[in-house]
Amino acid sequence: MKLKEWQKVLLGLLAIIVISFVVDRCVGFLFEKAYKNSKYGIFHRQEYCLHDSKDEILILGSSRAAHHYVPQIFTDSIGMSCYNCGSDGQCIYYQYGILSSYIERGDIPKVVLLEVMNTDAVISNGATFSLDAAVDRLAPNYGEYQEIDSLLLLKGWKERVKLFSKCYQYNSKAVQLIKCNFIPWPESKGYEAVFGELPDTTTLKAAKTKRDEVIDKQKLIYVNKLIRACKNNNIKLFFIESPNYSISTSSGIKTLKRIAVENSVPFFDYRNFPAFMHPAYFKDEGHLNDKGAHFYSSVVAGDLKSILKSNTILKTDI
């Protein structure tokens, strides 16, 4: 091939690279604008948690956090502002990322309630409750917080290359972005109410055990990182397992209880608390309905208030 032909090839490749870069940045800019200006749903709540929240009590966890804790009840009972940062399908990676953003920007909460699940300690084979799920959700915020960046880069150097693309950061989010900008979704300070009841004839049974469960050592690293972050910033941390209409002795929860004991973290176990074990309080076996969530939140808020007063976190009589 002659020199001029090589030059044409190289110029052609350069043009493709430049055009691809420009298109990526332009389309990515539109996605970013839609994400940052989200009015409803998961992206609106995530942006609020990452950048605007100065709330004193944070609820962290997955869907069981998002649907079980009513922040207004905690505020009315304890006298502290409260926000529910729970998010469907997420585990300890996401929870740590959210908390670290508060710490890095200096808006440090006083109390963190971490709704723990088996999936915070065991290997997840599906698309949810995994590092992949956290990376996908937090990718739009790459470059904003050091700890979130380090979390995303656990995926290796290939992920760093992919994150250079603005479009990649919003991969598979187009439909959700439309929903979060144009379709109102009722929520109250992060709390999402769900409705419906289990049939009255539903009996409390043992949950199906997964014999292939394996403790995920990397998840446990992040459990301990979250604990250290709270201790280093004088945040009162509580592990909590909310009501579940099934009986279980999962290896993951056992491991999390052991870690809590080793680190002097209070563990509130309401899983099969008798007062809540009625089908009328549950949407399904794993989630309280709105009625159950209000009852549960009032009980937890009362218990938490007593503990905080005894630990002098509450400075005034309330």
Side-chain angles (χ1 to χ4, degrees):
M1 189 179 291
K2 295 180 180 180
L3 179 60
K4 288 186 177 180
E5 292 176 337
W6 273 110
Q7 289 176 337
K8 289 181 180 179
V9 171
L10 291 175
L11 285 173
L13 289 173
L14 181 60
I16 291 172
I17 293 172
V18 171
I19 292 172
S20 297
F21 177 81
V22 172
V23 170
D24 176 77
R25 284 301 186 262
C26 289
V27 175
F29 172 78
L30 295 176
F31 280 138
E32 182 177 27
K33 193 172 182 64
Y35 172 74
K36 293 294 183 182
N37 293 319
S38 295
K39 300 175 183 178
Y40 317 106
I42 59 173
F43 295 148
H44 169 71
R45 296 196 303 275
Q46 180 166 296
E47 275 295 282
Y48 174 78
C49 291
L50 290 174
H51 298 291
D52 300 320
S53 171
K54 294 178 173 59
D55 297 281
E56 298 167 290
I57 301 175
L58 299 187
I59 312 295
L60 299 177
S62 63
S63 61
R64 283 170 49 76
H67 304 317
H68 291 188
Y69 298 84
V70 185
Q72 191 59 52
I73 292 176
F74 287 85
T75 297
D76 292 343
S77 176
I78 300 173
M80 293 181 180
S81 60
C82 179
Y83 196 82
N84 190 328
C85 299
S87 191
D88 292 18
Q90 297 296 336
C91 65
I92 190 62
Y93 298 117
Y94 183 82
Q95 277 75 278
Y96 175 76
I98 293 295
L99 177 61
S100 66
S101 72
Y102 281 80
I103 294 171
E104 285 190 44
R105 59 187 163 89
D107 295 317
I108 299 174
K110 294 181 179 179
V111 178
V112 167
L113 293 181
L114 177 63
E115 166 73 27
V116 295
M117 288 180 60
N118 195 41
T119 47
D120 289 314
V122 301
I123 293 175
S124 302
N125 297 317
T128 55
F129 306 112
S130 63
L131 177 60
D132 287 344
V135 168
D136 179 72
R137 182 67 67 79
L138 293 169
N141 300 98
Y142 179 62
E144 295 179 353
Y145 294 105
Q146 180 179 341
E147 286 301 306
I148 289 180
D149 287 355
S150 66
L151 180 64
L152 299 180
L153 296 177
L154 284 176
K155 297 281 292 179
W157 66 268
K158 290 183 180 179
E159 191 68 21
R160 185 188 295 270
V161 173
K162 292 177 182 177
L163 286 167
F164 180 75
S165 165
K166 280 291 184 181
C167 286
Y168 173 76
Q169 293 177 25
Y170 297 93
N171 184 36
S172 73
K173 295 179 175 64
V175 173
Q176 192 65 51
L177 282 170
I178 293 172
K179 291 181 179 179
C180 289
N181 279 276
F182 299 105
I183 303 177
W185 188 262
E187 56 93 14
S188 177
K189 297 183 179 180
Y191 165 68
E192 290 184 282
V194 293
F195 300 92
E197 296 180 4
L198 288 173
D200 288 338
T201 55
T202 305
T203 56
L204 190 62
K205 299 178 181 179
K208 294 181 180 179
T209 57
K210 297 180 179 179
R211 296 181 179 179
D212 59 344
E213 277 186 348
V214 178
I215 297 298
D216 190 327
K217 293 181 179 180
Q218 185 168 259
K219 283 184 177 179
L220 298 190
I221 289 174
Y222 274 81
V223 171
N224 282 288
K225 281 171 71 76
L226 187 144
I227 291 173
R228 287 198 301 273
C230 287
K231 287 187 175 182
N232 292 340
N233 290 279
N234 297 316
I235 301 169
K236 188 64 177 177
L237 172 65
F238 297 86
F239 282 9
I240 185 166
E241 188 179 16
S242 57
N244 196 310
Y245 207 73
S246 64
I247 301 169
S248 175
T249 53
S250 62
S251 57
I253 291 296
K254 287 180 178 179
T255 299
L256 292 169
K257 284 184 175 180
R258 174 180 56 78
I259 292 174
V261 170
E262 292 173 351
N263 290 276
S264 300
V265 175
F267 194 113
F268 288 177
D269 186 354
Y270 297 98
R271 181 183 178 95
N272 297 133
F273 199 72
F276 305 120
M277 292 300 103
H278 193 289
Y281 291 137
F282 287 84
K283 168 68 170 63
D284 53 46
E285 289 185 354
H287 298 93
L288 294 169
N289 56 27
D290 186 54
K291 178 181 178 181
H294 276 76
F295 177 36
Y296 170 65
S297 293
S298 66
V299 172
V300 176
D303 291 345
L304 183 62
K305 178 180 177 179
S306 298
I307 291 176
L308 295 181
K309 288 187 73 172
S310 67
N311 284 298
T312 68
I313 291 179
L314 302 183
K315 301 300 183 182
T316 59
D317 291 329
I318 58 176

